[in-house]
Amino acid sequence: MGSLPRRQRVAAYAVIMRVRDEPEVLLCRLAPRISRNELWTLPGGGLDHGEDPRDALVREIGEETGLTATVGTTARVYSAHLPRASRDGVMTDFHALRIVYDAWVPADAPAPRVVEVDGSTMEAAWRPMASVLDGTVPVVAMVEEALADHAPFQLQRVAAYALIRRGSAVLLTRLSKRAHHAGSWTLPGGGIDHGEPPATALAREVTEECGIACEVGVLLGVHDTHFSGMAPSGRVEDFHGVHLVFAAAVAPDAEPEVVEVDGTTDAVAWVELDDIESGEVSVLDLVHHALGLVSG
């Protein structure tokens, strides 16, 4: 008996997660011609000759889910050798190489739906992560492998913020829908660009967010926050924010107003300390921490 024809296939797939009431993962159900029983896999598929893996993945996600994805820059490679496997009705010695990326779709993306006709998948849906891990949702082995290795993207962000006082009030900005904790109030400031001096970054951010110039003073202290969740972009992140808190001053007659368009700030105001302490105005822990640095 002769050896079976060899076939090697290179494909790209994505772990795409979101967090609503609970963590969910985007999966595609294999069509009956691929699996007679219910079986789910990661969105993705084979690379065309000469096609970049990340380009192929964006194309495949669009075909299988109808969604536009952003693909990360790193991946893991999984190898599966099936000495006897039917491919397109022919028994082969099959070798599958699977490149699995981290990817994400916009937080407000519509419900997924299959776009391609007569493809290898028949349904696309967000499935609860817990149901996938406990076997309630039947998945191919690749899904279990990829989820076992997957970890949320780690993002550390260093930012500078200003504590600006005027009498019994403090200058605060309100976070827009484009930011974490939308609707809460925080200190004016933001991320430090690569190579940018913190004081310069802070003066720039105050001008962008409040429309007024400020004089940056001494560093009062450092605050940090660490949490996991879905970023406004739709990517699930393990986030660590490091916040440099500076004293700052503005002109006595300064009247702040939001200048940047479609940014992370949608309002700016002088807020009375009593309203902060009573909880009438919802503020981030950063504000309480900053006020504690100068109390007494």
Side-chain angles (χ1 to χ4, degrees), residues 24-106:
E24 297 174 314
V25 59
L26 183 61
L27 297 178
C28 297
R29 182 177 176 179
L30 294 175
R33 68 180 182 84
I34 305 297
S35 174
R36 295 180 180 178
N37 299 319
E38 179 184 355
L39 200 59
W40 295 77
T41 187
L42 299 175
L47 276 62
D48 292 337
H49 183 77
E51 189 176 26
D52 181 272
R54 297 171 75 244
D55 292 340
L57 181 54
V58 170
R59 172 181 56 77
E60 286 284 347
I61 292 172
E63 293 172 357
E64 294 185 343
T65 72
L67 303 179
T68 301
T70 301
V71 178
T73 57
T74 60
R76 290 183 172 86
V77 178
Y78 299 90
S79 176
H81 181 207
L82 306 175
R84 293 184 61 84
S86 177
R87 300 297 300 178
D88 300 324
V90 178
M91 192 61 65
T92 64
D93 179 352
F94 185 68
H95 182 206
L97 289 173
R98 295 146 177 172
I99 309 170
V100 181
Y101 290 87
D102 178 38
W104 58 97
V105 297

Side-chain angles (χ1 to χ4, degrees), residues 227-292:
F227 61 91
S228 294
M230 194 166 75
S233 66
R235 180 171 63 179
V236 175
E237 296 176 345
D238 177 1
F239 180 80
H240 183 212
V242 180
H243 310 137
L244 309 181
V245 182
F246 289 85
V250 299
D253 59 348
E255 292 297 334
E257 61 176 352
V258 177
V259 176
E260 63 180 351
V261 178
D262 295 328
T264 56
T265 297
D266 64 9
V268 58
W270 293 101
V271 179
E272 291 293 325
L273 294 176
D274 287 345
D275 292 337
I276 296 173
E277 293 170 358
S278 68
E280 182 175 340
V281 175
S282 176
V283 300
L284 298 186
D285 180 66
L286 170 64
V287 177
H288 292 296
H289 181 86
L291 293 173

Side-chain angles (χ1 to χ4, degrees), residues 136-149:
T136 301
V137 177
V139 297
V140 301
M142 175 183 60
V143 175
E144 297 175 338
E145 287 183 285
L147 292 181
D149 291 336

